[in-house]
Amino acid sequence: MTVTVTWYLVLAAALFSMGAAGVLIRRNALIMFMSIELMLNSVNLTFVAVSKHLGLIEGQVAALFVMVIAAAEVTVGLAIIVAIFRFRSSANVDELSELRG
Amino acid sequence: MTVSIADWFKETANWVFILLAIPTLLGAWRTVTSNNIVRSVLYLVVSLGGAAAMFLSLGAAFVGWTVVLVYIGAVIILFLIGIMITRAPLGMKAELSHASNVRMPAALLSLSMFVLVAWGLIDAFSNTAIEPFEPTPTSDIANLIFSRFVVPFEVVSIVLLAALIGGIALARRDDGGGA
């Protein structure tokens, strides 16, 4: 018995769950962003592992596209956080309750 | 599953996997649980570095080095700049997380999600071995991107340009030079 594709997939599931827990538990917007990055990276791991398993390379191309979109998302997200910080002097998501009715 | 432990440890691929999985998981765990935001970022580096090494061990050299360049090189720097600009609470501050009445259901929810997903994956993919160290030629990826995926590639470049302009437009000060 050697390393199988299931190990990589279960590891990616663990990373994804940790990232989801981070988004739910943390209330600093930057750390929530980091948790989202963890989740995106775990999905990339799934893409690459399954592409290895199926003998295709389309999964690696998909992982590259995910990375590009993640970079764009970080850029815009951090700009939004900076804009909110200029407005509220805080990166705490609990204080951003203007939409509450 | 009647494989003995001694057999298991004879495989180099198993060792490599375990040695890479431990820092990846620990880094992710500390990113989520650390009470210091700078430490959180640095543990994220550990986790992403482990993931990049795992891509390399899967033979996906191009994806692995792209993770090193884009995530560890660029995204981490962006996070550090974000910490600097938002004057995030440095040092050990507990108010980075929600109160424990939110934390427990959240942890339970993500744990149950992990159990469900892992159970489904083990059920679906059990006992299918892969060749871990066989490298994928980067020229194959290039040929695929610039033949079948050339339109998504161009679209993604437009998305990046839009994100660049959007980032500047959102973060610039509106006072002074006029909107």
Side-chain angles (χ1 to χ4, degrees):
Chain A
M1 175 189 160
T2 180
V3 55
T4 69
V5 67
T6 317
W7 297 18
Y8 287 96
L9 296 180
V10 171
L11 177 78
L15 287 173
F16 189 90
S17 308
M18 282 184 195
V23 172
L24 292 172
I25 287 173
R26 303 298 229 162
R27 61 181 174 191
N28 185 290
L30 283 167
I31 302 188
M32 292 170 82
F33 252 102
M34 287 179 224
S35 306
I36 291 172
E37 292 306 311
L38 271 181
M39 292 163 83
L40 286 167
N41 201 52
S42 78
V43 171
N44 278 345
L45 189 57
T46 309
F47 265 128
V48 173
V50 174
S51 86
K52 199 78 193 168
H53 170 58
L54 297 175
L56 301 169
I57 53 174
E58 277 86 348
Q60 298 190 22
V61 176
L64 288 170
F65 282 129
V66 169
M67 260 182 264
V68 174
I69 300 299
E73 170 251 334
V74 167
T75 313
V76 176
L78 276 176
I80 291 174
I81 292 175
V82 168
I84 288 174
F85 175 79
R86 196 167 289 146
F87 182 54
R88 303 295 313 247
S89 296
S90 167
N92 187 334
V93 294
D94 279 352
E95 295 171 16
L96 307 173
S97 54
E98 277 84 6
L99 293 182
R100 184 173 291 164
Chain B
M1 292 291 177
T2 54
V3 184
S4 69
I5 301 291
D7 277 347
W8 196 88
F9 278 114
K10 276 179 198 159
E11 298 273 355
T12 321
N14 295 348
W15 278 100
V16 172
F17 182 86
I18 294 296
L19 284 179
L20 294 180
I22 288 170
T24 309
L25 284 172
L26 274 182
W29 176 256
R30 293 298 295 156
T31 303
V32 171
T33 57
S34 174
N35 279 331
N36 184 323
I37 189 165
V38 179
R39 283 192 191 177
S40 226
V41 177
L42 296 180
Y43 279 118
L44 184 65
V45 173
V46 173
S47 183
L48 292 176
M54 206 157 261
F55 287 133
L56 293 181
S57 81
L58 275 168
F62 187 60
V63 178
W65 290 118
T66 311
V67 167
V68 172
L69 285 175
V70 172
Y71 273 104
I72 302 176
V75 171
I76 294 294
I77 298 296
L78 269 179
F79 277 126
L80 289 172
I81 290 173
I83 289 173
M84 198 178 71
I85 288 177
T86 61
R87 293 186 210 100
L90 300 177
M92 297 297 188
K93 291 284 172 62
E95 66 253 32
L96 290 173
S97 300
H98 283 293
S100 58
N101 63 339
V102 180
R103 257 182 279 168
M104 284 314 292
L108 207 64
L109 186 69
S110 44
L111 187 68
S112 53
M113 183 172 79
F114 168 67
V115 169
L116 194 68
V117 173
W119 179 69
L121 287 172
I122 290 169
D123 197 43
F125 284 96
S126 58
N127 291 327
T128 44
I130 49 175
E131 285 296 323
F133 299 116
E134 196 174 314
T136 309
T138 304
S139 56
D140 286 3
I141 299 176
N143 284 331
L144 197 60
I145 286 180
F146 290 107
S147 58
R148 248 175 64 203
F149 289 94
V150 69
V151 176
F153 183 77
E154 297 296 336
V155 171
V156 132
S157 71
I158 302 286
V159 169
L160 267 183
L161 184 66
L164 189 70
I165 296 170
I168 295 170
L170 278 169
R172 73 188 283 254
R173 280 181 200 280
D174 279 336
D175 52 23

